[in-house]
Amino acid sequence: QVQLVQSGAEVKKPGASVKVSCKASGYTFTSYYMHWVRQAPGQGLEWMGIINPSGGSTSYAQKFQGRVTMTRDTSTSTVYMELSSLRSEDTAVYYCAREVSLDYWGQGTLVTVSS
Amino acid sequence: SYVLTQPPSVSVAPGKTARITCGGNNIGSKSVHWYQQKPGQAPVLVVYDDSDRPSGIPERFSGSNSGNTATLTISRVEAGDEADYYCQVWDSSSDPLCVFGGGTKLTVL
């Protein structure tokens, strides 16, 4: 069965960076795009960007351009999302989700940015 | 950027039908996906490509899309359907490419 397992919660100081991982299993990793979506406390869903695990190409929402980097490791079927220059407004649960229709989601990773 | 508009809340009695709308400019020309999110959980896809259901999603969940409005319909509503619901489209001519509605809180009375 398809599973997306994310790394654990993180606490970071303003200005730091965070790198969240998402390990895929149960399907051919390189055959499906992967999205990253975040959700601030009590708020809605916000799309950050997408990566093609096959070639590694990416597309980011303009809001995050210059601060976000999405990468993948095909040897471990894992995608990564790194967000830099963190500020308090980046406190959120970060999700990976598969394919155009986001048919499978990771369990979420809480990133807390606090001094 | 492309904007999707959902009502903040919808209330319905058990056994009745709930309809959650998602408004967008000519949304009928796009494929709409719907997600259910319960507190503390990741979203779950309940309808994709306007009206298709993933395996395991009850037939009570259905969707339609025409003109400027897409609709998620939940028939014979149960207490377990209480959740936040989000619509989503992919718009290759917009930023961001993937757009979510603001979400609708479904309350089962």
Side-chain angles (χ1 to χ4, degrees):
Chain A
Q1 71 284 19
V2 174
Q3 281 195 308
L4 302 177
V5 179
Q6 298 184 220
S7 49
E10 303 262 13
V11 179
K12 296 292 183 181
K13 293 195 181 301
S17 296
V18 68
K19 191 171 186 177
V20 180
S21 67
C22 170
K23 182 173 176 59
S25 62
Y27 70 97
T28 302
F29 176 68
T30 51
S31 295
Y32 295 84
Y33 285 74
M34 196 75 79
H35 300 254
W36 285 93
V37 176
R38 77 177 187 179
Q39 186 171 36
Q43 302 301 308
L45 302 172
E46 181 176 32
W47 185 79
M48 300 180 69
I50 191 170
I51 182 168
N52 180 353
S54 178
S57 61
T58 56
S59 182
Y60 304 137
Q62 195 165 2
K63 175 178 179 176
F64 300 101
Q65 286 276 4
R67 284 210 302 144
V68 69
T69 304
M70 297 178 188
T71 57
R72 94 291 189 214
D73 182 344
T74 56
S75 68
T76 60
S77 299
T78 302
V79 295
Y80 301 90
M81 187 283 300
E82 183 170 23
L83 189 63
S84 62
S85 303
L86 290 169
R87 35 209 188 229
S88 59
E89 310 90 87
D90 294 317
T91 293
V93 176
Y94 290 76
Y95 294 101
C96 57
R98 192 188 79 155
E99 249 304 80
V100 174
S101 57
L102 294 88
D103 56 358
Y104 289 92
W105 294 63
Q107 83 276 19
T109 296
L110 175 62
V111 175
T112 303
V113 183
S114 174
S115 55
Chain B
S1 63
Y2 192 76
V3 176
L4 294 174
T5 302
Q6 297 183 237
S9 63
V10 168
S11 298
V12 63
K16 300 299 186 182
T17 297
R19 293 179 180 85
I20 298 172
T21 58
C22 176
N25 184 35
N26 197 26
I27 194 174
S29 66
K30 304 180 187 302
S31 288
V32 180
H33 314 301
W34 290 91
Y35 305 89
Q36 175 194 69
Q37 186 180 34
K38 296 182 179 180
Q41 298 183 19
V44 172
L45 179 68
V46 293
V47 167
Y48 67 98
D49 291 346
D50 297 340
S51 58
D52 290 332
R53 275 185 317 276
S55 60
I57 300 301
E59 291 183 8
R60 301 185 298 103
F61 289 82
S62 62
S64 62
N65 184 18
S66 179
N68 293 318
T69 304
T71 303
L72 173 69
T73 301
I74 309 172
S75 305
R76 301 180 300 284
V77 166
E78 303 173 356
D81 298 331
E82 187 164 288
D84 294 324
Y85 290 84
Y86 295 90
C87 57
Q88 177 255 318
V89 300
W90 182 268
D91 186 348
S92 59
S93 64
S94 175
D95 173 76
L97 296 173
C98 176
V99 181
F100 289 97
T104 298
K105 169 66 176 177
L106 176 68
T107 299
V108 181
L109 300 171

Short mmCIF file of all heavy atoms in Angstrom, two decimals, chain B residues 22-62:
data_model
loop_
_atom_site.label_atom_id
_atom_site.label_comp_id
_atom_site.label_asym_id
_atom_site.label_seq_id
_atom_site.Cartn_x
_atom_site.Cartn_y
_atom_site.Cartn_z
N CYS B 22 -17.82 25.66 -4.33
CA CYS B 22 -16.48 26.17 -4.59
C CYS B 22 -16.57 27.04 -5.84
O CYS B 22 -16.79 26.51 -6.94
CB CYS B 22 -15.52 25.01 -4.78
SG CYS B 22 -13.82 25.46 -5.22
N GLY B 23 -16.45 28.34 -5.66
CA GLY B 23 -16.61 29.25 -6.78
C GLY B 23 -15.28 29.72 -7.34
O GLY B 23 -14.34 29.99 -6.60
N GLY B 24 -15.21 29.80 -8.67
CA GLY B 24 -14.01 30.29 -9.34
C GLY B 24 -14.35 30.68 -10.76
O GLY B 24 -15.27 30.12 -11.36
N ASN B 25 -13.58 31.59 -11.31
CA ASN B 25 -13.83 32.07 -12.66
C ASN B 25 -13.71 30.92 -13.67
O ASN B 25 -12.63 30.34 -13.84
CB ASN B 25 -12.83 33.18 -13.00
CG ASN B 25 -13.09 33.79 -14.36
OD1 ASN B 25 -14.24 33.92 -14.78
ND2 ASN B 25 -12.03 34.18 -15.05
N ASN B 26 -14.82 30.59 -14.31
CA ASN B 26 -14.86 29.51 -15.31
C ASN B 26 -14.27 28.21 -14.76
O ASN B 26 -13.59 27.46 -15.48
CB ASN B 26 -14.11 29.95 -16.57
CG ASN B 26 -14.42 29.10 -17.78
OD1 ASN B 26 -15.51 28.51 -17.87
ND2 ASN B 26 -13.49 29.02 -18.71
N ILE B 27 -14.60 27.91 -13.51
CA ILE B 27 -14.05 26.71 -12.89
C ILE B 27 -14.51 25.44 -13.61
O ILE B 27 -13.85 24.40 -13.56
CB ILE B 27 -14.42 26.65 -11.38
CG1 ILE B 27 -13.58 25.61 -10.64
CG2 ILE B 27 -15.92 26.38 -11.22
CD1 ILE B 27 -13.80 25.59 -9.14
N GLY B 28 -15.61 25.55 -14.34
CA GLY B 28 -16.11 24.40 -15.09
C GLY B 28 -15.12 23.89 -16.14
O GLY B 28 -15.24 22.75 -16.59
N SER B 29 -14.15 24.71 -16.50
CA SER B 29 -13.15 24.30 -17.50
C SER B 29 -11.95 23.61 -16.84
O SER B 29 -11.02 23.19 -17.55
CB SER B 29 -12.65 25.52 -18.28
OG SER B 29 -11.94 26.41 -17.44
N LYS B 30 -11.97 23.51 -15.53
CA LYS B 30 -10.84 22.90 -14.81
C LYS B 30 -11.30 21.62 -14.11
O LYS B 30 -12.49 21.40 -13.89
CB LYS B 30 -10.29 23.89 -13.77
CG LYS B 30 -9.88 25.23 -14.34
CD LYS B 30 -9.35 26.14 -13.26
CE LYS B 30 -9.09 27.54 -13.80
NZ LYS B 30 -8.13 27.54 -14.92
N SER B 31 -10.32 20.80 -13.73
CA SER B 31 -10.60 19.62 -12.92
C SER B 31 -10.52 20.00 -11.45
O SER B 31 -9.51 20.56 -11.00
CB SER B 31 -9.60 18.51 -13.22
OG SER B 31 -9.83 17.95 -14.48
N VAL B 32 -11.56 19.67 -10.71
CA VAL B 32 -11.64 20.04 -9.30
C VAL B 32 -11.48 18.79 -8.43
O VAL B 32 -12.07 17.74 -8.72
CB VAL B 32 -12.98 20.73 -8.99
CG1 VAL B 32 -13.05 21.10 -7.50
CG2 VAL B 32 -13.15 21.97 -9.86
N HIS B 33 -10.69 18.95 -7.39
CA HIS B 33 -10.49 17.87 -6.41
C HIS B 33 -10.97 18.36 -5.05
O HIS B 33 -10.85 19.55 -4.73
CB HIS B 33 -9.02 17.47 -6.34
CG HIS B 33 -8.38 17.29 -7.68
ND1 HIS B 33 -8.82 16.38 -8.61
CD2 HIS B 33 -7.32 17.94 -8.26
CE1 HIS B 33 -8.07 16.46 -9.71
NE2 HIS B 33 -7.16 17.39 -9.52
N TRP B 34 -11.50 17.44 -4.25
CA TRP B 34 -12.03 17.76 -2.93
C TRP B 34 -11.35 16.91 -1.87
O TRP B 34 -11.13 15.71 -2.06
CB TRP B 34 -13.53 17.50 -2.87
CG TRP B 34 -14.36 18.45 -3.68
CD1 TRP B 34 -14.76 18.31 -4.99
CD2 TRP B 34 -14.93 19.69 -3.23
NE1 TRP B 34 -15.53 19.38 -5.37
CE2 TRP B 34 -15.66 20.24 -4.31
CE3 TRP B 34 -14.91 20.38 -2.02
CZ2 TRP B 34 -16.34 21.45 -4.22
CZ3 TRP B 34 -15.58 21.58 -1.93
CH2 TRP B 34 -16.29 22.11 -3.01
N TYR B 35 -11.05 17.56 -0.73
CA TYR B 35 -10.37 16.89 0.38
C TYR B 35 -11.18 17.07 1.66
O TYR B 35 -11.75 18.14 1.89
CB TYR B 35 -8.96 17.46 0.58
CG TYR B 35 -8.15 17.40 -0.69
CD1 TYR B 35 -8.18 18.44 -1.60
CD2 TYR B 35 -7.39 16.28 -1.00
CE1 TYR B 35 -7.49 18.38 -2.79
CE2 TYR B 35 -6.69 16.20 -2.19
CZ TYR B 35 -6.75 17.26 -3.08
OH TYR B 35 -6.06 17.19 -4.27
N GLN B 36 -11.16 16.03 2.46
CA GLN B 36 -11.76 16.07 3.80
C GLN B 36 -10.63 16.07 4.82
O GLN B 36 -9.70 15.28 4.71
CB GLN B 36 -12.62 14.82 4.01
CG GLN B 36 -13.22 14.67 5.39
CD GLN B 36 -13.77 13.27 5.62
OE1 GLN B 36 -13.02 12.30 5.70
NE2 GLN B 36 -15.09 13.16 5.68
N GLN B 37 -10.72 16.96 5.80
CA GLN B 37 -9.70 16.98 6.85
C GLN B 37 -10.36 17.04 8.21
O GLN B 37 -11.08 17.99 8.53
CB GLN B 37 -8.75 18.17 6.68
CG GLN B 37 -7.60 18.15 7.68
CD GLN B 37 -6.65 19.31 7.53
OE1 GLN B 37 -7.05 20.42 7.18
NE2 GLN B 37 -5.37 19.07 7.78
N LYS B 38 -10.10 16.02 9.01
CA LYS B 38 -10.59 15.98 10.39
C LYS B 38 -9.50 16.53 11.30
O LYS B 38 -8.32 16.52 10.94
CB LYS B 38 -10.99 14.56 10.75
CG LYS B 38 -12.16 14.06 9.90
CD LYS B 38 -12.60 12.66 10.28
CE LYS B 38 -13.79 12.24 9.41
NZ LYS B 38 -14.26 10.87 9.73
N PRO B 39 -9.90 17.02 12.48
CA PRO B 39 -8.93 17.66 13.39
C PRO B 39 -7.72 16.78 13.69
O PRO B 39 -7.87 15.59 14.02
CB PRO B 39 -9.76 17.93 14.64
CG PRO B 39 -11.16 18.06 14.14
CD PRO B 39 -11.27 17.08 13.00
N GLY B 40 -6.55 17.35 13.54
CA GLY B 40 -5.33 16.64 13.86
C GLY B 40 -4.89 15.61 12.84
O GLY B 40 -3.94 14.86 13.08
N GLN B 41 -5.58 15.55 11.71
CA GLN B 41 -5.26 14.55 10.69
C GLN B 41 -4.88 15.22 9.37
O GLN B 41 -5.20 16.38 9.12
CB GLN B 41 -6.46 13.62 10.46
CG GLN B 41 -6.86 12.81 11.68
CD GLN B 41 -7.99 11.85 11.38
OE1 GLN B 41 -8.26 11.51 10.22
NE2 GLN B 41 -8.65 11.38 12.43
N ALA B 42 -4.19 14.45 8.53
CA ALA B 42 -3.88 14.92 7.19
C ALA B 42 -5.15 14.90 6.33
O ALA B 42 -6.07 14.12 6.59
CB ALA B 42 -2.82 14.03 6.55
N PRO B 43 -5.20 15.74 5.31
CA PRO B 43 -6.35 15.71 4.40
C PRO B 43 -6.45 14.36 3.68
O PRO B 43 -5.45 13.65 3.50
CB PRO B 43 -6.03 16.83 3.40
CG PRO B 43 -5.12 17.75 4.14
CD PRO B 43 -4.29 16.84 5.00
N VAL B 44 -7.67 14.04 3.29
CA VAL B 44 -7.96 12.82 2.54
C VAL B 44 -8.72 13.21 1.28
O VAL B 44 -9.69 13.96 1.34
CB VAL B 44 -8.81 11.84 3.38
CG1 VAL B 44 -9.27 10.66 2.53
CG2 VAL B 44 -8.04 11.36 4.60
N LEU B 45 -8.28 12.69 0.14
CA LEU B 45 -8.97 12.95 -1.12
C LEU B 45 -10.30 12.21 -1.13
O LEU B 45 -10.34 10.99 -0.93
CB LEU B 45 -8.09 12.47 -2.28
CG LEU B 45 -8.63 12.62 -3.70
CD1 LEU B 45 -8.72 14.09 -4.08
CD2 LEU B 45 -7.75 11.85 -4.69
N VAL B 46 -11.39 12.93 -1.37
CA VAL B 46 -12.71 12.28 -1.40
C VAL B 46 -13.36 12.31 -2.79
O VAL B 46 -14.19 11.45 -3.10
CB VAL B 46 -13.68 12.88 -0.34
CG1 VAL B 46 -13.21 12.57 1.06
CG2 VAL B 46 -13.85 14.38 -0.54
N VAL B 47 -13.00 13.30 -3.59
CA VAL B 47 -13.48 13.37 -4.97
C VAL B 47 -12.35 13.95 -5.82
O VAL B 47 -11.71 14.93 -5.43
CB VAL B 47 -14.74 14.26 -5.11
CG1 VAL B 47 -15.04 14.57 -6.58
CG2 VAL B 47 -15.95 13.59 -4.46
N TYR B 48 -12.09 13.35 -6.98
CA TYR B 48 -11.10 13.89 -7.90
C TYR B 48 -11.69 14.04 -9.29
O TYR B 48 -12.69 13.40 -9.62
CB TYR B 48 -9.83 13.02 -7.92
CG TYR B 48 -10.01 11.65 -8.51
CD1 TYR B 48 -9.67 11.38 -9.83
CD2 TYR B 48 -10.50 10.59 -7.73
CE1 TYR B 48 -9.82 10.12 -10.37
CE2 TYR B 48 -10.65 9.33 -8.27
CZ TYR B 48 -10.32 9.10 -9.58
OH TYR B 48 -10.46 7.83 -10.13
N ASP B 49 -11.06 14.89 -10.07
CA ASP B 49 -11.53 15.15 -11.44
C ASP B 49 -13.04 15.42 -11.48
O ASP B 49 -13.78 14.80 -12.25
CB ASP B 49 -11.18 13.98 -12.36
CG ASP B 49 -9.69 13.86 -12.61
OD1 ASP B 49 -8.97 14.83 -12.30
OD2 ASP B 49 -9.25 12.81 -13.11
N ASP B 50 -13.46 16.32 -10.66
CA ASP B 50 -14.84 16.83 -10.57
C ASP B 50 -15.80 15.86 -9.87
O ASP B 50 -16.60 16.29 -9.03
CB ASP B 50 -15.43 17.13 -11.96
CG ASP B 50 -14.70 18.22 -12.69
OD1 ASP B 50 -14.00 19.02 -12.04
OD2 ASP B 50 -14.82 18.29 -13.93
N SER B 51 -15.76 14.57 -10.25
CA SER B 51 -16.85 13.70 -9.80
C SER B 51 -16.45 12.25 -9.56
O SER B 51 -17.33 11.42 -9.29
CB SER B 51 -17.99 13.73 -10.83
OG SER B 51 -17.52 13.31 -12.10
N ASP B 52 -15.17 11.93 -9.65
CA ASP B 52 -14.73 10.55 -9.42
C ASP B 52 -14.36 10.35 -7.96
O ASP B 52 -13.86 11.27 -7.30
CB ASP B 52 -13.53 10.22 -10.31
CG ASP B 52 -13.92 10.13 -11.78
OD1 ASP B 52 -15.09 9.80 -12.07
OD2 ASP B 52 -13.05 10.40 -12.63
N ARG B 53 -14.59 9.14 -7.48
CA ARG B 53 -14.27 8.82 -6.08
C ARG B 53 -13.11 7.85 -6.01
O ARG B 53 -13.11 6.82 -6.71
CB ARG B 53 -15.48 8.15 -5.39
CG ARG B 53 -16.50 9.06 -4.81
CD ARG B 53 -17.56 8.24 -4.05
NE ARG B 53 -17.96 7.05 -4.81
CZ ARG B 53 -18.87 7.06 -5.76
NH1 ARG B 53 -19.47 8.20 -6.08
NH2 ARG B 53 -19.19 5.94 -6.40
N PRO B 54 -12.14 8.12 -5.13
CA PRO B 54 -11.07 7.14 -4.91
C PRO B 54 -11.67 5.88 -4.27
O PRO B 54 -12.74 5.94 -3.67
CB PRO B 54 -10.14 7.85 -3.92
CG PRO B 54 -10.47 9.29 -4.02
CD PRO B 54 -11.93 9.34 -4.37
N SER B 55 -10.97 4.79 -4.41
CA SER B 55 -11.44 3.57 -3.77
C SER B 55 -11.52 3.76 -2.26
O SER B 55 -10.64 4.40 -1.67
CB SER B 55 -10.52 2.39 -4.11
OG SER B 55 -9.22 2.66 -3.65
N GLY B 56 -12.57 3.23 -1.67
CA GLY B 56 -12.74 3.35 -0.24
C GLY B 56 -13.58 4.53 0.20
O GLY B 56 -13.97 4.61 1.37
N ILE B 57 -13.87 5.45 -0.71
CA ILE B 57 -14.72 6.59 -0.38
C ILE B 57 -16.18 6.22 -0.66
O ILE B 57 -16.50 5.76 -1.77
CB ILE B 57 -14.32 7.84 -1.19
CG1 ILE B 57 -12.87 8.24 -0.88
CG2 ILE B 57 -15.28 9.00 -0.89
CD1 ILE B 57 -12.59 8.55 0.57
N PRO B 58 -17.07 6.40 0.32
CA PRO B 58 -18.47 5.99 0.13
C PRO B 58 -19.14 6.70 -1.04
O PRO B 58 -18.82 7.84 -1.36
CB PRO B 58 -19.12 6.41 1.46
CG PRO B 58 -18.01 6.50 2.44
CD PRO B 58 -16.81 6.94 1.67
N GLU B 59 -20.11 6.02 -1.62
CA GLU B 59 -20.87 6.59 -2.74
C GLU B 59 -21.66 7.81 -2.31
O GLU B 59 -22.15 8.57 -3.16
CB GLU B 59 -21.81 5.53 -3.31
CG GLU B 59 -21.12 4.39 -4.02
CD GLU B 59 -22.11 3.41 -4.64
OE1 GLU B 59 -23.32 3.70 -4.63
OE2 GLU B 59 -21.67 2.36 -5.13
N ARG B 60 -21.81 8.02 -1.01
CA ARG B 60 -22.53 9.20 -0.52
C ARG B 60 -21.84 10.50 -0.92
O ARG B 60 -22.46 11.56 -0.91
CB ARG B 60 -22.65 9.14 1.00
CG ARG B 60 -23.37 7.92 1.54
CD ARG B 60 -23.56 7.99 3.05
NE ARG B 60 -22.31 8.01 3.79
CZ ARG B 60 -21.78 9.09 4.35
NH1 ARG B 60 -22.41 10.27 4.27
NH2 ARG B 60 -20.64 9.01 5.01
N PHE B 61 -20.55 10.41 -1.25
CA PHE B 61 -19.78 11.59 -1.66
C PHE B 61 -19.80 11.68 -3.19
O PHE B 61 -19.43 10.74 -3.89
CB PHE B 61 -18.34 11.50 -1.17
CG PHE B 61 -18.18 11.68 0.30
CD1 PHE B 61 -18.41 10.62 1.17
CD2 PHE B 61 -17.83 12.91 0.84
CE1 PHE B 61 -18.28 10.77 2.54
CE2 PHE B 61 -17.69 13.08 2.21
CZ PHE B 61 -17.92 12.01 3.06
N SER B 62 -20.24 12.83 -3.69
CA SER B 62 -20.27 13.03 -5.13
C SER B 62 -19.92 14.48 -5.44
O SER B 62 -19.98 15.35 -4.58
CB SER B 62 -21.64 12.68 -5.72
OG SER B 62 -22.64 13.52 -5.18
#
